Amino acid sequence: KILVIGANGQIGTELVVALRGIHGVDKVIASDINNPTYAIRNSGPYELVNVLDKDNLHHIFEKYRPTQVYLLAAILSAVGEQKPKMAWDLNMTGLIHVLDFAVEFKTAKVFWPSSIAVFGPHSPQFNTPQYCVMDPNTVYGFSKLAGERWAEYYFVKHGLDIRSIRYPGLIGWKASPGGGTTDYAVHIFHEALKKGKYESFLSADTTLPMMYMEDAIRATISLMDAPADQIKIRSSYNLAGISFTPAQLADEIKKHISAFEMGYVDTDPRQAIADSWPKSIDDNSAQQDWGWKLEYDLPKMTADMLENLKKII
Ligand code: VAH
């Protein structure tokens, strides 16, 4: 059995769909703190799980004895700055509970997402390497950095086969983003189709590493399928994705919706968060260790997003 915790989130929703397609619906237990969203309702086994409730979480591990666990429950960067202690508690204590039960129940593999948010103002801004100065200044960012240290620690001390990816900002059409700084890159598509215009909360020239959800899910599954001896990094793997600005994304959308109008909100707290993150990432380690290769560039992603969103908006 595969347990996905945080199944209602932007990554969780898509991961449940992908894993059920591979392993069969009944093999994948979706779970989250609240009831399933439309996207996965009535589509297979579902449990209410609160990673901060040890008894509840222990009961789920005992009931299913999962061979794989994907822990996607987290509070993201923007919401995390509004609720710093809650973000630290959920992201950190939640992870440690899962690590402990994975060891207790001998879970074969654990996946846990990190983020480019682990880098900070003094990290190299371009082609940010796997190892460098990391001084994240958001609670989300340093909870992910601390989480990477815990993940590697449980691999070394307990032999737990835990694997992780530092995701760029993710863009997909199956599920809404969860209160992050890169959410603009999803909202813009919905607004372009519904209203023909969008007011970006990040400035026109804010370059960020982003990635289409198809690539992010494929990377996750290929990392988890790779033989353990190929996984040389047990903190978290950099993934580069595609780096672009809101202006470049708007221009790409205009190739499909010529009347699309882009505007910019001049003050938003998420700008400072975006400015603290790298502009591009070096993912050589992922390419060498487990053969990572990106498929969606900006034009291909934009075309696919609009084509799929058009059908459900
Ligand atoms: C966020 N979407 O904005 C997440 C992600 C790199 C960004 O970690 O917080």
Side-chain angles (χ1 to χ4, degrees), residues 61 66-71 94-112 147-164 224 228-229 231-236:
F61 267 84
T67 52
Q68 289 187 36
V69 174
Y70 292 74
L71 171 59
L95 171 64
I96 293 169
H97 288 166
V98 169
L99 294 174
D100 281 338
F101 293 147
V103 169
E104 181 184 342
F105 288 92
K106 298 182 174 39
T107 304
K109 292 181 198 173
V110 175
F111 178 81
W112 174 75
E148 291 187 4
R149 300 287 91 233
W150 275 111
E152 189 184 85
Y153 192 80
Y154 268 67
F155 171 74
V156 170
K157 302 287 180 190
H158 303 283
L160 181 64
D161 186 347
I162 180 160
R163 307 181 186 195
S164 180
M224 290 297 273
D229 60 0
I231 310 300
K232 308 279 189 291
I233 292 172
R234 294 293 180 166
S235 49
S236 190

Side-chain angles (χ1 to χ4, degrees), residues 76-77 115-116 140 167-169 180-182 277:
L76 300 185
S77 60
S115 162
I116 61 159
Y140 169 73
Y167 289 116
T181 299
T182 57
W277 291 347

Side-chain angles (χ1 to χ4, degrees), residues 27-224:
K27 283 281 191 316
V28 181
I29 319 302
S31 71
D32 208 307
I33 193 160
N34 39 39
N35 290 322
T37 54
Y38 68 94
I40 52 173
R41 190 170 298 143
N42 310 322
S43 66
Y46 189 90
E47 293 280 358
L48 290 178
V49 163
N50 173 358
V51 290
L52 294 179
D53 176 343
K54 287 188 88 167
D55 294 341
N56 159 256
L57 191 59
H58 192 268
H59 165 70
I60 297 297
F61 267 84
E62 208 159 33
K63 180 176 176 182
Y64 293 101
R65 293 179 184 280
T67 52
Q68 289 187 36
V69 174
Y70 292 74
L71 171 59
L72 302 160
I75 289 179
L76 300 185
S77 60
V79 173
E81 290 309 291
Q82 293 153 11
K83 305 173 183 171
K85 301 293 181 13
M86 191 175 154
W88 175 259
D89 203 16
L90 173 60
N91 296 1
M92 210 74 286
T93 312
L95 171 64
I96 293 169
H97 288 166
V98 169
L99 294 174
D100 281 338
F101 293 147
V103 169
E104 181 184 342
F105 288 92
K106 298 182 174 39
T107 304
K109 292 181 198 173
V110 175
F111 178 81
W112 174 75
S114 183
S115 162
I116 61 159
V118 295
F119 299 111
H122 292 89
S123 305
Q125 277 217 318
F126 296 93
N127 286 323
T128 308
Q130 188 65 46
Y131 297 101
C132 62
V133 167
M134 300 162 92
D135 57 338
N137 55 18
T138 62
V139 174
Y140 169 73
F142 57 73
S143 75
K144 287 297 182 183
L145 180 53
E148 291 187 4
R149 300 287 91 233
W150 275 111
E152 189 184 85
Y153 192 80
Y154 268 67
F155 171 74
V156 170
K157 302 287 180 190
H158 303 283
L160 181 64
D161 186 347
I162 180 160
R163 307 181 186 195
S164 180
I165 284 172
R166 289 170 182 161
Y167 289 116
L170 299 182
I171 298 168
W173 53 273
K174 292 193 188 106
S176 307
T181 299
T182 57
D183 296 4
Y184 90 88
V186 178
H187 299 158
I188 187 171
F189 284 100
H190 290 260
E191 304 282 299
L193 287 168
K194 278 190 274 193
K195 300 181 192 158
K197 63 181 178 0
Y198 177 64
E199 287 269 302
S200 170
F201 56 75
L202 295 185
S203 64
D205 61 349
T206 305
T207 303
L208 282 174
M210 310 291 277
M211 179 177 273
Y212 196 36
M213 189 60 86
E214 259 62 17
D215 273 327
I217 299 300
R218 186 169 51 82
T220 307
I221 290 169
S222 96
L223 170 65
M224 290 297 273

Side-chain angles (χ1 to χ4, degrees), residues 2-14:
I2 295 175
L3 173 63
V4 178
I5 304 173
N8 290 336
Q10 186 191 18
I11 301 173
T13 301
E14 304 238 16

